[in-house]
């Protein structure tokens, strides 16, 4: 029987079996990632451990991961091997090895009080974004037991970057002549990973967790309004976003990259969640309408592309990231169309888990097999832990 026709419970059991096998293979031969502190393994282990019979496998994987955690770059980012990602891994791993909690406490105190000298104009991605910058560090702190004194400096920096309605402080100024990023020079990235959508999710998390703060609320309102203004409808009828703005004449051509990182999924979620935190039903309805255009016209053959399984299926570029966003909007916003898209993507991923051997996938969260399997386990289990979802700006 093809995975597309299997009942959800069977798909979940298949995903769990893949996850257990993945953890066993990784534990026997750890590696497959350029970033020793990446939280992919402990995220997946925490989900696998919800079934007691697989607890030993999960504990063994976390124990091996913890031996090298923190040996990557010393920057405070959530992804790209940063200490923010290590903090998430330690917090989740502490559920299986409680001694890791003390290490996590020390690291959280470090991240909350020793901020780099972030730029506040002519910025680069590490000055603000979710993957390599302070938006991600703030979200990493939210994945555990966030302390207000640790969140406030990061939130204040992001609020400063959003102190004017056109967000001029978020214009990139460090990529002149860059071989890959020159396209963003002088422009403002819109995406979840490197752009305003990610900043919006971090400010939303701060607004939810800190006492009423007019400066944070105003900054979030400005950033969300800017993101709304960048949207346009493409030739397929999808309300979407250019990779960077402002863009007074966006091309109507259909954009194949509709993913967590760029396009409608990440931006629509960021706007809905911000509107929910701000008690703004008009923007919330607008965001849900934007996401419905995606569900009405989403085409796996067109929107899932690339030369590797990570491109087609992973959290950042592929089906797993769209699944996580759709699942979040279904659970929190009650959007039936999002639930239907999530079911489609669960079947799509389940049918393709056998693409290539396990060692062909990295072990990172955003681009690797642990992220895909974590997305499947989270979306198919009502009791599944969602505490790792701040890694994506979700909840």
């Amino acid at each position: 029987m093809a995975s597309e026709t299997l009942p959800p419970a069977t798909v979940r059991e298949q995903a769990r079996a893949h996850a257990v096998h993945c953890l066993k293979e990784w534990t026997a031969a750890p590696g497959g990632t350029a970033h020793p502190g990446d939280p992919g393994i402990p995220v997946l282990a925490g989900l696998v451990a919800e079934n007691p019979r697989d607890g030993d496998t999960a504990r063994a994987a976390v124990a091996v991961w913890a031996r090298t955690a923190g040996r990557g770059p010393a920057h405070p980012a959530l992804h790209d091997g940063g200490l923010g990602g290590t903090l998430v891994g330690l917090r989740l791993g502490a559920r299986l090895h409680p001694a890791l909690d003390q290490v996590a406490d020390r690291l959280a105190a470090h991240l909350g009080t020793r901020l780099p000298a972030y730029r506040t104009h002519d910025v680069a991605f590490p000055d603000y974004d979710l993957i390599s910058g302070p938006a991600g560090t703030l979200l990493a702190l939210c994945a555990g037991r966030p302390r207000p004194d640790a969140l406030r400096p990061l939130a204040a920096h992001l609020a400063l970057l959003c102190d004017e309605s056109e967000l001029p402080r978020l214009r990139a100024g460090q990529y002149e002549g860059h071989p890959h990023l020159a396209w963003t020079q002088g422009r403002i990235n819109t995406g979840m990973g490197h752009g305003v959508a990610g900043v919006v999710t971090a400010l939303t998390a701060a607004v939810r967790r800190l006492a009423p703060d007019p400066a944070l609320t105003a900054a979030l309102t400005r950033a969300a309004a800017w993101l709304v203004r960048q949207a346009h409808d493409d030739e397929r009828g999808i309300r979407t976003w250019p990779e960077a703005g402002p863009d007074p004449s966006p091309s109507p051509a259909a954009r194949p990259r509709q993913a967590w990182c760029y396009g409608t999924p990440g931006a629509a979620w960021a706007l809905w969640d911000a509107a929910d935190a701000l008690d703004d039903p008009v923007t919330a309805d607008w965001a849900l309408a934007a996401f419905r255009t995606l569900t009405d016209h989403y085409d796996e053959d067109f929107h899932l592309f690339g030369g590797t399984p990570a491109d087609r299926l992973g959290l950042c570029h592929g089906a797993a990231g769209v699944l996580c966003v759709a699942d979040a909007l279904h659970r929190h916003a009650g959007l039936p169309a999002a639930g239907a898209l999530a079911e489609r993507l669960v079947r799509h991923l389940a049918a393709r888990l056998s693409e290539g051997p396990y060692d062909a996938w990295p072990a990172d969260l955003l681009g690797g097999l642990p992220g895909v399997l974590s997305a499947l386990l989270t979306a198919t289990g009502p009791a599944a832990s969602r505490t790792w979802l701040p890694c994506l700006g979700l909840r």
Side-chain angles (χ1 to χ4, degrees):
M1 182 181 293
S3 296
E4 286 90 344
T5 62
L6 289 174
T10 304
V11 170
R12 178 173 174 77
E13 284 309 305
Q14 287 186 346
R16 179 175 292 280
H18 280 292
V20 170
H21 184 67
C22 172
L23 290 177
K24 287 181 176 178
E25 293 234 322
W26 185 88
T27 303
T33 174
H35 307 308
D38 184 272
I41 291 297
V43 166
L44 183 60
L47 291 164
V48 163
E50 291 180 349
N51 188 323
R53 74 171 182 263
D54 298 319
D56 288 345
T57 296
R59 280 187 288 273
V62 170
V64 171
W65 175 88
R67 292 173 195 158
T68 58
R71 293 185 185 176
H75 59 72
L78 173 52
H79 299 288
D80 286 349
L83 293 174
T86 302
L87 173 63
V88 174
L90 290 169
R91 287 290 188 213
L92 297 176
R95 298 179 179 183
L96 302 173
H97 294 281
L100 295 179
D101 223 12
Q102 294 182 0
V103 183
D105 286 341
R106 292 195 294 272
L107 180 54
H110 170 81
L111 290 175
T113 58
R114 300 183 185 180
L115 301 187
Y118 296 124
R119 298 180 186 91
T120 57
H121 57 83
D122 291 333
V123 294
F125 293 161
D127 295 313
Y128 67 89
D129 79 6
L130 189 157
I131 289 178
S132 60
T137 306
L138 189 152
L139 290 167
L141 290 165
C142 290
R145 298 185 298 273
R147 291 168 36 193
D149 60 332
L151 298 182
R152 283 196 181 96
L154 292 159
H157 171 71
L158 295 175
L160 174 62
L161 294 176
C162 302
D163 64 348
E164 296 182 45
S165 61
E166 294 306 315
L167 310 185
R169 292 181 184 272
L170 285 171
R171 286 185 180 273
Q174 304 298 317
Y175 297 121
E176 187 73 41
H178 192 284
H180 306 298
L181 298 174
W183 62 270
T184 199
Q185 178 73 8
R187 305 179 74 199
I188 302 171
N189 195 290
T190 63
M192 178 68 90
H194 294 302
V196 173
V199 172
V200 166
T201 63
L203 284 171
T204 299
V207 165
R208 290 188 189 281
R209 288 166 174 82
L210 298 174
D213 185 326
L216 287 183
T217 299
L220 178 56
T221 301
R222 283 190 290 269
W226 183 91
L227 198 57
V228 168
R229 292 197 298 274
Q230 309 315 307
H232 69 279
D233 294 341
D234 74 10
E235 62 189 5
R236 289 189 173 224
I238 296 174
R239 184 172 299 166
T240 190
W241 280 259
E243 284 78 8
D247 190 346
S249 301
S251 169
R255 296 180 179 276
R257 179 69 77 213
Q258 293 294 342
W260 170 82
C261 56
Y262 285 108
T264 301
W269 163 263
L271 286 170
W272 179 85
D273 198 32
D276 184 59
L278 294 169
D279 193 20
D280 176 2
V282 173
T283 301
D285 289 345
W286 189 94
L288 293 181
F291 195 79
R292 278 195 296 269
T293 69
L294 179 79
T295 64
D296 290 346
H297 302 289
Y298 189 76
D299 181 349
E300 288 87 340
D301 292 331
F302 179 73
H303 291 122
L304 299 174
F305 65 96
T308 67
D311 284 328
R312 299 186 299 274
L313 306 181
L315 284 175
C316 191
H317 293 170
V322 183
L323 168 59
C324 285
V325 174
D327 177 63
L329 282 171
H330 178 57
R331 290 177 188 253
H332 295 295
L335 183 63
L341 179 59
E343 291 176 3
R344 276 172 60 186
L345 290 169
V346 163
R347 294 191 296 270
H348 181 88
L349 286 167
R352 288 158 181 81
L353 277 178
S354 59
E355 283 194 7
Y358 284 113
D359 59 8
W361 288 69
D364 298 83
L365 185 66
L366 281 186
L369 185 58
V372 174
L373 293 169
S374 296
L376 271 173
L377 291 174
T378 299
T380 57
S385 171
R386 304 179 69 81
T387 54
W388 69 277
L389 289 174
C391 290
L392 303 178
L394 304 175
R395 56 186 175 92

